[in-house]
């Protein structure tokens, strides 16, 4: 068609899964506003969204254990990514919405009739899609029955540990972490591990301690970034990136702050940069300023600014920013001198380039990147809600990687005037997608391709894992290992995160000098990834080899650890990989130590 184109223990035991679409990742979408408490959710539900009187009186015909079991399966596919594993409204993707996802454990929710819940599931509101056209009436009643049961269940901690899939690897629980963890990083000088949360807190402890007891070092009051997505340390300096909402939460500004640490606790805080205001969105696709790292030579700091759209469509935030699509300040990787201070970044591409700040363009959401032993940059990138593959790029200065015109080696269909947004005609369009139907449409105003620019392709994956794809000719889902096709780069909707390279050659055997990355999404729990695979929430071993003919790298990809729960980042210390979990909005997650045994 187009070329290149937590466990809850109750009568059903462990019926809720442990992963959602990221990023919606498309989303690991990490553009949420502040935390949600019980009072906030209840007020929002009670005052802003009431079912009509006739809906309240409808009687649920699908009660009982069979309905709950069927509803639980539907919840794992369609709802978990926003409402959370235990129904607390703490799914990572839901944080991007202007209104918070419902917490099913509140009295306000439980006091509703089944008819009211059924009506809300059917109709949707704001960024929550209506399911009347996606699910049949019986399925919506089953889902209604299950979410009521879910809200009445006791929340307990998961007992399953991640499972190694190959010999020579062990996994142990290293520590509990605060809710909404986003980054984990390491300082070699004092052998200390650090992690940051979305709400702006940074913790640390020494790996020499017998018991991990993280201590809070800084908080949002110190640096001011209340949507913190990026954090790293360089010597005694923390570099923190994220967004601050403005214009009554309709707009945003990107920030990077420098925090020079002092033992007595009186830290020096200064601004590296802030951006002018530009429009945020009322969707899960507003990815914000995220990954940050210092170059191996210590001269520069690099930072990712993700896209504000799913695939280049108009996102005007309910009319607040008319005709806005992606901006010069989004979907790029930026570079600044390590000592930069008080920079003001305009929303003007030519001026940003004149200053030398733009390093690479056309990258939708590189939520993580790393450098190999040669100092080359690589990034893992998630695509949108269309069934395009996810990318891994060798990121080079001045290169353009195709977004929004190309993702996963495949062209975005909305740029073509004859495309129809009809799942019956286009199998790559999943009607369960958050972007469907409002954001997939015939789009004559789609941006024109930049003249004279050649897009750099993603790396090819030769498997044996994470290489499922949808065939362009037949629309059928294929396994590249069976067909001999090398895909660009990972199975659609995988949401790859936590990329690390073994720069010191500390890993043993076949892992030595290679790379590792996480998949945030689990096919069993994602309506978008489920058609491709039941795998996910796992650790992948990446073997890179340079292809001179393509002037690019090829990959061999193998699953080596499974059963994480929302893994968002990783750091390699010697032969130990520390994997941190997002942990929802209330209960917190785990920090796992994956040891590659010598």
């Amino acid at each position: 068609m187009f070329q290149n184109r937590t466990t809850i223990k109750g009568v059903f035991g462990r019926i809720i899964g442990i992963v959602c679409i990221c990023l919606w990742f498309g989303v690991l979408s990490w553009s949420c506003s502040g935390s949600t408490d019980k009072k906030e959710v209840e007020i929002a539900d009670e005052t802003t969204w009431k079912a009509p009187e006739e809906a309240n009186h409808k009687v649920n015909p699908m009660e009982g254990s069979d309905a709950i079991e069927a509803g639980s399966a539907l919840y794992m596919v369609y709802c978990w990514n926003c409402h959370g594993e235990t129904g607390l409204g703490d799914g990572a993707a839901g944080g991007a919405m202007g209104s918070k996802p419902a917490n099913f454990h509140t009295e306000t929710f439980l006091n509703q009739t089944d008819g009211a819940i059924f009506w809300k599931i059917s109709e949707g509101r704001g960024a929550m899609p209506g399911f009347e056209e996606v699910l049949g009436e019986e399925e919506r009643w089953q889902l209604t029955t299950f979410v009521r049961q879910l809200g009445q269940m006791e929340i307990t901690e998961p007992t399953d540990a991640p499972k190694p899939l190959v010999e020579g690897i062990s996994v142990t629980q290293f520590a509990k972490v605060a809710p909404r963890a986003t980054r984990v990083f390491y300082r070699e000088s004092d052998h200390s591990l650090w992690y940051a949360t979305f709400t702006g807190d940074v913790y640390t402890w020494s790996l020499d301690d017998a018991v991990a007891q993280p201590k809070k070092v800084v908080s949002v009051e110190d640096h001011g970034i209340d949507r913190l997505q990026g954090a790293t340390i360089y010597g005694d300096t923390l570099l923190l990136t994220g967004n601050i909402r403005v214009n009554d939460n309709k707009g945003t500004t990107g920030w990077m702050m420098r925090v020079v640490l002092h033992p007595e606790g009186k830290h020096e805080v200064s601004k590296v940069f802030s951006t002018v205001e530009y429009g945020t969105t009322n969707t899960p696709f507003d990815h914000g300023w995220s990954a940050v790292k210092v170059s191996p030579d210590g001269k520069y700091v690099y930072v990712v600014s993700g896209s504000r759209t799913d695939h280049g469509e108009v996102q005007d935030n309910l009319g607040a920013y008319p005709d806005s699509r992606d901006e010069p300040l989004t979907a790029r990787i930026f570079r600044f001198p390590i000592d930069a201070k008080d920079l003001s970044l305009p929303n003007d591409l030519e001026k940003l380039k004149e200053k030398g700040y733009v390093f690479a363009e056309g990258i939708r959401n590189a939520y993580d990147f790393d450098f190999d032993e040669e100092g080359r940059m690589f990034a893992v990138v998630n695509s949108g809600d269309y069934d395009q593959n996810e990318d891994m790029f060798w990121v080079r200065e001045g290169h353009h990687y195709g977004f929004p015109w190309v993702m996963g080696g495949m062209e975005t269909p909305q740029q073509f005037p004859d495309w129809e947004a009809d799942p019956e005609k286009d199998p790559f369009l999943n009607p369960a997608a958050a972007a469907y139907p409002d954001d997939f449409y015939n789009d004559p105003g789609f941006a024109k391709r930049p003249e004279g620019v050649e897009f750099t392709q993603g790396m090819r994956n030769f498997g044996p894992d994470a290489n499922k794809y949808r065939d362009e000719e037949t629309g059928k889902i294929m396994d590249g290992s069976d067909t001999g096709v090398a895909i660009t780069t990972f199975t659609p909707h995988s949401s790859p995160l936590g990329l690390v390279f073994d720069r010191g050659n500390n890993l043993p055997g076949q892992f030595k000098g290679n790379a590792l990355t996480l998949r945030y999404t689990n096919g069993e729990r994602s309506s978008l990834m489920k058609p491709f695979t039941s795998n996910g929430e796992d650790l992948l071993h990446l073997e890179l080899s340079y292809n001179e003919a393509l002037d690019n790298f090829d990959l061999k990809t193998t699953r080596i650890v499974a059963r994480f729960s929302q893994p968002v980042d990783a750091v390699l210390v010697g032969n130990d990989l520390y994997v941190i979990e997002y942990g929802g909005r209330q209960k917190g997650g785990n920090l796992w130590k994956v040891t590659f045994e010598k």
Side-chain angles (χ1 to χ4, degrees):
M1 182 166 49
F2 303 115
Q3 298 301 311
N4 292 326
R5 301 224 298 180
T6 252
T7 55
I8 298 178
K9 290 184 179 177
V11 292
F12 299 104
R14 194 174 191 276
I15 53 179
I16 301 300
I18 51 175
V19 96
C20 78
I21 54 177
C22 168
L23 323 149
W24 206 322
F25 16 291
V27 18
L28 236 247
S29 175
W30 296 93
S31 54
C32 343
S33 55
S35 62
T36 303
D37 59 25
K38 181 176 179 180
K39 179 180 179 182
E40 186 177 6
V41 174
E42 289 185 355
I43 292 175
D45 285 347
E46 183 176 2
T47 61
T48 64
W49 199 17
K50 291 184 178 181
E53 191 62 30
E54 60 270 22
N56 283 323
H57 296 294
K58 283 192 173 183
V59 177
N60 186 350
M62 300 297 298
E63 297 180 334
S65 59
D66 289 344
I68 294 174
E69 188 169 2
S72 73
L74 293 167
Y75 185 88
M76 286 186 273
V77 174
Y78 294 102
C79 312
W80 189 92
N81 53 327
C82 287
H83 291 281
E85 161 184 10
T86 57
L88 289 169
D90 60 356
M97 300 177 182
S99 57
K100 308 294 190 303
N103 179 346
F104 301 137
H105 296 269
T106 64
E107 290 184 9
T108 300
F109 177 83
L110 293 173
N111 285 339
Q112 296 179 103
T113 66
D114 280 5
I117 297 171
F118 175 85
W119 180 85
K120 291 180 179 180
I121 291 172
S122 302
E123 295 294 318
R125 179 186 65 160
M128 174 184 167
F131 288 94
E132 187 168 14
E133 296 184 5
V134 177
L135 301 176
E137 181 176 350
E138 182 176 297
E139 291 174 309
R140 282 175 280 143
W141 281 119
Q142 290 167 341
L143 192 54
T144 297
T145 305
F146 173 71
V147 295
R148 178 174 295 285
Q149 177 74 14
L150 179 62
Q152 296 170 341
M153 286 182 175
E154 179 185 358
I155 301 172
T156 62
E157 291 297 319
T159 57
D160 293 342
K163 178 183 178 182
L165 303 177
V166 297
E167 294 183 358
I169 293 178
S170 62
V171 184
T172 56
Q173 185 186 38
F174 188 76
K176 290 290 294 181
V177 295
R180 307 181 77 184
T182 55
R183 297 290 173 186
V184 60
F185 45 103
Y186 172 70
R187 182 164 66 176
E188 185 176 7
S189 61
D190 60 356
H191 197 45
S192 57
L193 207 62
W194 300 67
Y195 79 90
T197 69
F198 190 88
T199 52
D201 296 330
V202 181
Y203 298 80
T204 187
W205 68 97
S206 174
L207 289 176
D208 294 326
D209 293 342
V211 178
Q213 294 181 324
K215 175 184 67 174
K216 186 186 294 188
V217 179
V218 299
S219 64
V220 65
E221 288 77 17
D222 297 309
H223 54 76
I225 302 174
D226 54 12
R227 296 164 59 211
L228 184 69
Q229 297 195 83
T232 192
I233 194 164
Y234 182 68
D236 293 328
T237 301
L238 286 170
L239 293 164
L240 309 174
T241 58
N243 289 70
I244 297 175
R245 287 187 181 268
V246 295
N247 189 19
D248 194 26
N249 284 337
K250 298 173 184 175
T252 190
T253 57
W255 288 67
M256 180 185 290
M257 299 298 288
R258 178 187 291 110
V259 181
V260 180
L261 304 171
H262 295 289
E264 65 275 13
K266 296 181 179 180
H267 311 312
E268 297 176 36
V269 181
S270 61
K271 184 191 299 181
V272 178
F273 70 76
S274 61
T275 75
V276 298
E277 175 188 336
Y278 58 96
T280 187
T281 75
N282 193 41
T283 73
F285 311 121
D286 200 344
H287 298 99
W289 293 76
S290 56
V292 57
K293 282 187 171 68
V294 176
S295 61
D297 60 11
K299 294 181 179 180
Y300 298 100
V301 56
Y302 294 84
V303 61
V304 171
S305 178
S307 70
R308 63 183 299 279
T309 72
D310 181 65
H311 51 266
E313 75 283 3
V314 171
Q315 291 291 358
D316 61 4
N317 202 345
L318 305 179
Y321 296 87
D323 301 320
S324 292
R325 297 178 185 259
D326 267 286
E327 304 281 355
L329 286 168
T330 64
R332 289 174 169 83
I333 294 180
F334 292 85
R335 180 181 66 183
F336 305 98
I338 191 66
D339 58 355
K341 189 174 182 179
D342 291 329
L343 302 179
S344 179
L345 305 187
N347 201 15
D348 184 311
L349 186 57
E350 292 305 315
K351 290 182 179 179
L352 291 167
K353 287 185 174 181
E354 286 175 9
K355 295 288 187 180
Y357 298 151
V358 178
F359 184 73
E361 301 181 74
I363 299 178
R364 181 181 182 269
N365 184 29
Y367 196 74
D368 218 341
F369 66 93
D370 199 17
F371 301 93
D372 70 0
E373 60 183 350
E374 301 296 330
R376 294 170 295 209
M377 181 192 292
F378 296 86
V380 286
V381 182
N382 71 296
S383 299
D385 273 11
Y386 201 63
D387 280 351
Q388 292 151 310
N389 301 325
E390 314 278 67
D391 285 301
M392 181 169 174
F393 292 133
W394 174 17
V395 183
R396 288 171 276 185
E397 183 176 4
H399 284 230
H400 196 299
Y401 293 86
F403 178 83
W405 300 277
V406 176
M407 287 178 276
M410 184 178 179
E411 294 182 314
T412 301
Q414 271 189 237
Q415 65 187 299
F416 301 103
D418 59 345
W419 181 70
E420 296 182 55
D422 183 352
E424 295 295 325
K425 298 179 179 179
D426 187 345
F428 288 77
L429 187 57
N430 189 329
Y436 181 82
D438 293 343
D439 299 321
F440 282 114
Y441 51 88
N442 188 281
D443 190 357
F446 200 92
K448 304 301 181 185
R449 294 191 182 211
E451 294 184 7
V453 175
E454 181 179 352
F455 297 152
T456 301
Q457 294 292 308
M459 298 162 62
R460 300 186 303 168
N461 180 13
F462 288 84
D465 293 322
N467 60 336
K468 300 288 185 67
Y469 66 99
R470 191 180 289 280
D471 182 75
E472 294 185 41
E473 297 297 327
T474 66
K476 294 180 179 179
I477 291 174
M478 305 291 191
D479 188 326
S481 298
D482 296 333
T483 62
V485 172
I487 74 167
T488 311
T489 301
F490 302 116
T491 299
H493 314 296
S494 293
S495 297
L497 305 173
L499 178 66
V500 296
F501 278 81
D502 178 27
R503 290 191 294 272
N505 290 322
N506 293 310
L507 295 181
Q510 73 268 32
F511 306 110
K512 185 175 183 179
N514 291 172
L516 304 164
T517 198
L518 301 162
R519 287 194 295 181
Y520 180 83
T521 315
N522 187 326
E524 291 186 353
R525 317 293 184 240
S526 164
S527 56
L528 297 185
M529 193 176 176
K530 187 178 182 65
F532 293 88
T533 180
S534 60
N535 295 327
E537 282 187 314
D538 46 17
L539 178 65
L540 304 178
H541 171 215
L542 309 178
E543 298 178 76
L544 283 69
S545 59
Y546 179 68
N547 185 321
E548 186 175 1
L550 297 178
D551 188 26
N552 207 340
F553 285 84
D554 291 332
L555 282 181
K556 290 184 179 179
T557 303
T558 307
R559 299 176 69 228
I560 58 175
V561 181
R563 291 201 321 219
F564 291 105
S565 177
Q566 297 179 278
V568 292
D569 199 18
V571 64
L572 190 61
V573 182
N575 63 313
D576 293 322
L577 182 78
Y578 294 90
V579 176
I580 198 166
E581 298 172 341
Y582 177 68
R585 289 174 180 256
Q586 297 186 34
K587 65 190 179 78
N590 291 298
L591 182 66
W592 300 99
K593 183 168 74 170
V594 180
T595 299
F596 293 80
E597 298 166 359
K598 295 184 177 180

PDB file of all heavy atoms in Angstrom, residues 141-153:
ATOM      1  N   TRP A 141     -20.510  -4.644  29.528  1.00  0.00           N
ATOM      2  CA  TRP A 141     -21.079  -5.030  30.821  1.00  0.00           C
ATOM      3  C   TRP A 141     -20.101  -5.902  31.604  1.00  0.00           C
ATOM      4  O   TRP A 141     -19.995  -5.786  32.830  1.00  0.00           O
ATOM      5  CB  TRP A 141     -22.404  -5.765  30.618  1.00  0.00           C
ATOM      6  CG  TRP A 141     -23.573  -4.869  30.342  1.00  0.00           C
ATOM      7  CD1 TRP A 141     -24.348  -4.849  29.227  1.00  0.00           C
ATOM      8  CD2 TRP A 141     -24.101  -3.859  31.215  1.00  0.00           C
ATOM      9  NE1 TRP A 141     -25.327  -3.886  29.341  1.00  0.00           N
ATOM     10  CE2 TRP A 141     -25.212  -3.273  30.558  1.00  0.00           C
ATOM     11  CE3 TRP A 141     -23.754  -3.394  32.485  1.00  0.00           C
ATOM     12  CZ2 TRP A 141     -25.960  -2.239  31.125  1.00  0.00           C
ATOM     13  CZ3 TRP A 141     -24.506  -2.367  33.055  1.00  0.00           C
ATOM     14  CH2 TRP A 141     -25.591  -1.804  32.382  1.00  0.00           C
ATOM     15  N   GLN A 142     -19.389  -6.785  30.916  1.00  0.00           N
ATOM     16  CA  GLN A 142     -18.369  -7.595  31.594  1.00  0.00           C
ATOM     17  C   GLN A 142     -17.279  -6.708  32.195  1.00  0.00           C
ATOM     18  O   GLN A 142     -16.825  -6.923  33.326  1.00  0.00           O
ATOM     19  CB  GLN A 142     -17.761  -8.585  30.603  1.00  0.00           C
ATOM     20  CG  GLN A 142     -18.711  -9.691  30.176  1.00  0.00           C
ATOM     21  CD  GLN A 142     -18.210 -10.471  28.986  1.00  0.00           C
ATOM     22  OE1 GLN A 142     -17.334 -10.004  28.243  1.00  0.00           O
ATOM     23  NE2 GLN A 142     -18.755 -11.667  28.773  1.00  0.00           N
ATOM     24  N   LEU A 143     -16.863  -5.710  31.440  1.00  0.00           N
ATOM     25  CA  LEU A 143     -15.851  -4.778  31.938  1.00  0.00           C
ATOM     26  C   LEU A 143     -16.377  -3.983  33.124  1.00  0.00           C
ATOM     27  O   LEU A 143     -15.672  -3.757  34.116  1.00  0.00           O
ATOM     28  CB  LEU A 143     -15.420  -3.849  30.802  1.00  0.00           C
ATOM     29  CG  LEU A 143     -14.181  -2.987  31.009  1.00  0.00           C
ATOM     30  CD1 LEU A 143     -12.983  -3.831  31.418  1.00  0.00           C
ATOM     31  CD2 LEU A 143     -13.872  -2.213  29.725  1.00  0.00           C
ATOM     32  N   THR A 144     -17.627  -3.595  33.060  1.00  0.00           N
ATOM     33  CA  THR A 144     -18.269  -2.896  34.182  1.00  0.00           C
ATOM     34  C   THR A 144     -18.241  -3.764  35.436  1.00  0.00           C
ATOM     35  O   THR A 144     -17.893  -3.298  36.535  1.00  0.00           O
ATOM     36  CB  THR A 144     -19.729  -2.555  33.819  1.00  0.00           C
ATOM     37  OG1 THR A 144     -19.746  -1.665  32.705  1.00  0.00           O
ATOM     38  CG2 THR A 144     -20.451  -1.927  34.998  1.00  0.00           C
ATOM     39  N   THR A 145     -18.607  -5.028  35.292  1.00  0.00           N
ATOM     40  CA  THR A 145     -18.616  -5.949  36.429  1.00  0.00           C
ATOM     41  C   THR A 145     -17.227  -6.100  37.021  1.00  0.00           C
ATOM     42  O   THR A 145     -17.051  -6.104  38.252  1.00  0.00           O
ATOM     43  CB  THR A 145     -19.143  -7.326  35.979  1.00  0.00           C
ATOM     44  OG1 THR A 145     -20.422  -7.171  35.361  1.00  0.00           O
ATOM     45  CG2 THR A 145     -19.275  -8.275  37.154  1.00  0.00           C
ATOM     46  N   PHE A 146     -16.227  -6.197  36.149  1.00  0.00           N
ATOM     47  CA  PHE A 146     -14.870  -6.403  36.650  1.00  0.00           C
ATOM     48  C   PHE A 146     -14.323  -5.182  37.378  1.00  0.00           C
ATOM     49  O   PHE A 146     -13.728  -5.314  38.451  1.00  0.00           O
ATOM     50  CB  PHE A 146     -13.926  -6.771  35.512  1.00  0.00           C
ATOM     51  CG  PHE A 146     -12.493  -6.826  35.968  1.00  0.00           C
ATOM     52  CD1 PHE A 146     -12.049  -7.845  36.790  1.00  0.00           C
ATOM     53  CD2 PHE A 146     -11.596  -5.824  35.621  1.00  0.00           C
ATOM     54  CE1 PHE A 146     -10.752  -7.881  37.250  1.00  0.00           C
ATOM     55  CE2 PHE A 146     -10.291  -5.850  36.066  1.00  0.00           C
ATOM     56  CZ  PHE A 146      -9.871  -6.883  36.885  1.00  0.00           C
ATOM     57  N   VAL A 147     -14.503  -3.967  36.824  1.00  0.00           N
ATOM     58  CA  VAL A 147     -13.902  -2.804  37.483  1.00  0.00           C
ATOM     59  C   VAL A 147     -14.554  -2.548  38.834  1.00  0.00           C
ATOM     60  O   VAL A 147     -13.905  -2.052  39.760  1.00  0.00           O
ATOM     61  CB  VAL A 147     -13.942  -1.547  36.586  1.00  0.00           C
ATOM     62  CG1 VAL A 147     -13.089  -1.742  35.344  1.00  0.00           C
ATOM     63  CG2 VAL A 147     -15.353  -1.136  36.231  1.00  0.00           C
ATOM     64  N   ARG A 148     -15.832  -2.887  38.978  1.00  0.00           N
ATOM     65  CA  ARG A 148     -16.437  -2.770  40.310  1.00  0.00           C
ATOM     66  C   ARG A 148     -15.787  -3.773  41.271  1.00  0.00           C
ATOM     67  O   ARG A 148     -15.457  -3.424  42.417  1.00  0.00           O
ATOM     68  CB  ARG A 148     -17.952  -3.007  40.245  1.00  0.00           C
ATOM     69  CG  ARG A 148     -18.604  -2.933  41.621  1.00  0.00           C
ATOM     70  CD  ARG A 148     -20.101  -3.028  41.549  1.00  0.00           C
ATOM     71  NE  ARG A 148     -20.722  -1.913  40.865  1.00  0.00           N
ATOM     72  CZ  ARG A 148     -20.865  -0.693  41.396  1.00  0.00           C
ATOM     73  NH1 ARG A 148     -20.417  -0.437  42.619  1.00  0.00           N
ATOM     74  NH2 ARG A 148     -21.452   0.259  40.719  1.00  0.00           N
ATOM     75  N   GLN A 149     -15.597  -5.010  40.820  1.00  0.00           N
ATOM     76  CA  GLN A 149     -14.932  -6.009  41.651  1.00  0.00           C
ATOM     77  C   GLN A 149     -13.507  -5.572  41.974  1.00  0.00           C
ATOM     78  O   GLN A 149     -13.032  -5.728  43.103  1.00  0.00           O
ATOM     79  CB  GLN A 149     -14.932  -7.354  40.926  1.00  0.00           C
ATOM     80  CG  GLN A 149     -14.203  -8.479  41.648  1.00  0.00           C
ATOM     81  CD  GLN A 149     -14.985  -9.010  42.845  1.00  0.00           C
ATOM     82  OE1 GLN A 149     -16.176  -8.717  42.967  1.00  0.00           O
ATOM     83  NE2 GLN A 149     -14.343  -9.767  43.702  1.00  0.00           N
ATOM     84  N   LEU A 150     -12.829  -4.996  40.987  1.00  0.00           N
ATOM     85  CA  LEU A 150     -11.457  -4.531  41.180  1.00  0.00           C
ATOM     86  C   LEU A 150     -11.380  -3.472  42.268  1.00  0.00           C
ATOM     87  O   LEU A 150     -10.493  -3.489  43.130  1.00  0.00           O
ATOM     88  CB  LEU A 150     -10.929  -3.973  39.853  1.00  0.00           C
ATOM     89  CG  LEU A 150      -9.513  -3.409  39.836  1.00  0.00           C
ATOM     90  CD1 LEU A 150      -8.507  -4.486  40.181  1.00  0.00           C
ATOM     91  CD2 LEU A 150      -9.214  -2.826  38.458  1.00  0.00           C
ATOM     92  N   GLY A 151     -12.328  -2.539  42.252  1.00  0.00           N
ATOM     93  CA  GLY A 151     -12.332  -1.475  43.257  1.00  0.00           C
ATOM     94  C   GLY A 151     -12.578  -1.973  44.665  1.00  0.00           C
ATOM     95  O   GLY A 151     -12.227  -1.300  45.637  1.00  0.00           O
ATOM     96  N   GLN A 152     -13.176  -3.163  44.799  1.00  0.00           N
ATOM     97  CA  GLN A 152     -13.466  -3.718  46.120  1.00  0.00           C
ATOM     98  C   GLN A 152     -12.383  -4.657  46.622  1.00  0.00           C
ATOM     99  O   GLN A 152     -12.430  -5.099  47.765  1.00  0.00           O
ATOM    100  CB  GLN A 152     -14.806  -4.469  46.060  1.00  0.00           C
ATOM    101  CG  GLN A 152     -15.988  -3.565  45.751  1.00  0.00           C
ATOM    102  CD  GLN A 152     -17.257  -4.341  45.459  1.00  0.00           C
ATOM    103  OE1 GLN A 152     -17.216  -5.527  45.139  1.00  0.00           O
ATOM    104  NE2 GLN A 152     -18.406  -3.663  45.550  1.00  0.00           N
ATOM    105  N   MET A 153     -11.405  -4.957  45.761  1.00  0.00           N
ATOM    106  CA  MET A 153     -10.360  -5.901  46.140  1.00  0.00           C
ATOM    107  C   MET A 153      -9.282  -5.260  47.007  1.00  0.00           C
ATOM    108  O   MET A 153      -8.990  -4.068  46.887  1.00  0.00           O
ATOM    109  CB  MET A 153      -9.698  -6.487  44.888  1.00  0.00           C
ATOM    110  CG  MET A 153     -10.549  -7.505  44.155  1.00  0.00           C
ATOM    111  SD  MET A 153      -9.633  -8.175  42.741  1.00  0.00           S
ATOM    112  CE  MET A 153     -10.798  -9.411  42.172  1.00  0.00           C
TER     113      MET A 153
END
